[in-house]
């Protein structure tokens, strides 16, 4: 026998989730093909800005611990992917909830399509608005993205209501058995077809989107080679240093594509050089609007090898990289704008709402503080801050905005910038750190009758430089390591220590002393709030 089945809110959640898949796939495809916004990423970016710092930290710790547990290679890339997946899951969960609400409403009312449209819009309109307010990566005009988003969610709601109707359809009371069986069959066929249709749209949409989001290699050729960088035709300044890194030491100079990336955006802001200027305004005699060409041609370029580290880099982590940056001293740009006598601070704002403030006396004192427009001789990649970012020696990356759009000279300090407002250290001076990259048991060195194991890695203390690195084995005596000349006074230093081989199980530890003679802090401390400390250790079974 049949009953007149009124689908429950639980069924609504399932249908909401089922229909979320094709909706998200189509939104993704449109984002790739037409450059519209992808609402899950906008929602995620918005949450990252408005949620309290403690919650965000918990979220980041969660993601980072999963990455560590899975032993994934590239922390920053894996974390971005995890964020993007979470964003999609979040919207799918919201749509499941909305589906439950829709079915609950429909149990009491008859105007299915209207109810579906309303519920779809209740979810879709805020997301459409969010896209207008915070999206910085989409190419399509914001109102077009917004209308498209709202329409797509409306369609989701109407489809949900239509599914409800099918599920609720029942033969009129008193219908004889054989006819009732046909109803049941129809419903089953409907469900199968619905499943097939949603799966098809999802796979085709997501698959096409994924395919098109990568530039297609021509004729089976590997992707067209990127423009050659400075390092493709120049030797590094310390190329003739006799000390060779121990095999397995990380590259001293990080290729641009391998540089870690950290920021508060699921997709990096896409700024168009043709529309972009750097505005310098506020308490200045001479407000400026500088194009990228003005910066490149109107000032003497400054090249610096720079090691950048994220304050969230754990001891021994991979959120630290070294590149060759090119730009102009901030001082030179400020001088041209001529700050008034009471203009004591430069407030730097970015396209993604990120900001930082620094005393103008710092820029006057330290010519290395620069507005950078190139890495390895090429324009900054989008994800690393195109067209302009700042470099401030000795500070963690959290103090160094990418995607800069303006500098306001002001007389008020306000607060210490984006991450400081979320509870992180106001100064954010880098902590001295040293890391064992390798105990190269496969590359033993013969020195007379002694067999040595090359041990090596990096040490970094910002612009304080590294005076010495020491290694100990099984908590024995500390032995001095050899240092390679660094790429510059502000980069990490490659060290090497050849340890007399003895078979057994060992625990190697490293510590450093900075250029001012201060020893690295050995007490373990978590990254929050002012950067990790503690000794790095590596076990080896020789
Ligand atoms: N506009 C903007 N600038 C930013 C950030 C950001 O989220 N937005 N993140 C900062 C942080 S926390 C770090 S560690 C560095 C990382 O720079 P990279 O991604 O080029 O390595 O960028 C900094 N500049
Ligand atoms: Mo960072």
């Amino acid at each position: 026998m049949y009953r007149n089945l009124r689908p429950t809110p639980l069924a609504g959640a399932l249908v909401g989730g089922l229909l979320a898949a094709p909706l998200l796939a189509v939104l993704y495809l449109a984002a790739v093909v037409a450059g519209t916004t992808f609402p899950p990423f906008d929602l995620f970016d918005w949450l990252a800005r408005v949620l309290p710092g403690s919650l965000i930290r918990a979220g980041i710790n969660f993601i980072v611990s999963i990455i560590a547990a899975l032993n994934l290679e590239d922390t920053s890339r894996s974390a971005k992917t995890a964020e993007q997946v979470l964003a999609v899951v979040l919207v799918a969960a919201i749509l499941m909830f909305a589906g439950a609400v829709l079915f609950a409403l429909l149990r009491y009312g008859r105007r299915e399509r209207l109810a579906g449209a309303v519920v779809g819009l209740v979810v879709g309109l805020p997301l459409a608005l969010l896209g207008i307010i915070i999206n910085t990566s989409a190419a399509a005009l914001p109102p077009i993205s917004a209308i498209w988003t709202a329409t797509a969610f409306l369609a989701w709601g109407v489809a949900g209501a239509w599914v409800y109707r099918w599920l609720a359809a029942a033969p009129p009371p008193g219908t004889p058995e054989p006819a009732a069986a046909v109803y049941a069959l129809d419903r089953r066929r409907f469900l199968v077809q619905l499943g097939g249709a949603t799966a098809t749209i999802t796979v085709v949409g997501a698959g096409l989107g994924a395919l098109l989001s990568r530039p297609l290699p021509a004729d089976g050729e590997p992707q067209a080679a990127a423009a050659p960088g400075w390092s493709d035709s120049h030797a590094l300044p310390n190329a003739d240093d006799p000390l060779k890194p121990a095999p397995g030491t990380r590259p001293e100079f990080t290729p641009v594509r391998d540089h870690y990336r950290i920021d508060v955006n699921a997709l990096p802001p896409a700024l168009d050089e043709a529309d972009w200027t750097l505005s310098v305004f506020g308490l200045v005699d001479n407000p400026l609007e500088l194009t990228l060409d003005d910066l490149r041609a109107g000032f003497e370029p400054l090249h610096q090898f720079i090691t950048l580290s994220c304050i969230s880099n754990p001891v021994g982590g991979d959120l630290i990289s070294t590149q060759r940056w090119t730009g102009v001293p901030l001082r030179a740009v400020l001088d041209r704008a001529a700050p008034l006598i009471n203009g004591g601070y430069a407030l730097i704002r970015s396209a993604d709402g990120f900001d930082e403030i620094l005393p103008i006396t710092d820029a006057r004192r330290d010519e290395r503080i620069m507005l950078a427009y190139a890495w390895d001789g090429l324009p900054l990649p989008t994800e690393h801050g195109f067209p302009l970012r700042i470099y401030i020696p000795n500070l963690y990356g959290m103090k160094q905005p990418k995607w800069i759009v303006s500098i306001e000279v002001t007389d008020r300090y306000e607060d210490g910038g984006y991450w400081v407002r979320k509870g992180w250290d106001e100064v954010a001076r880098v902590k001295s750190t040293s890391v064992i990259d390798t105990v190269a048991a496969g590359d033993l060195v013969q020195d007379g009758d002694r067999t040595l194991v090359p041990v090596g890695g990096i040490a970094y203390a910002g612009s304080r430089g590294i005076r010495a690195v020491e290694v100990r084995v099984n908590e024995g005596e500390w032995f001095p390591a050899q240092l390679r000349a660094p790429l510059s006074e502000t980069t990490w230093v490659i060290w090497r220590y050849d340890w007399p081989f003895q078979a057994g199980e060992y625990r190697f530890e490293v510590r450093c002393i900075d250029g001012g003679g201060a020893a690295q802090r050995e007490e373990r401390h978590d990254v929050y709030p002012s950067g990790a400390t503690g000794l790095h250790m590596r076990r080896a079974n020789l």
Side-chain angles (χ1 to χ4, degrees), residues 283-297:
L283 300 175
V284 295
D285 255 337
N286 182 28
L288 306 174
E289 291 288 340
L290 299 170
T291 64
L292 193 50
D293 272 336
D294 293 337
L295 285 165
R296 284 194 283 233

Side-chain angles (χ1 to χ4, degrees), residues 262 310-311 398:
I262 294 288
C310 182
I311 196 165
M398 63 170 264

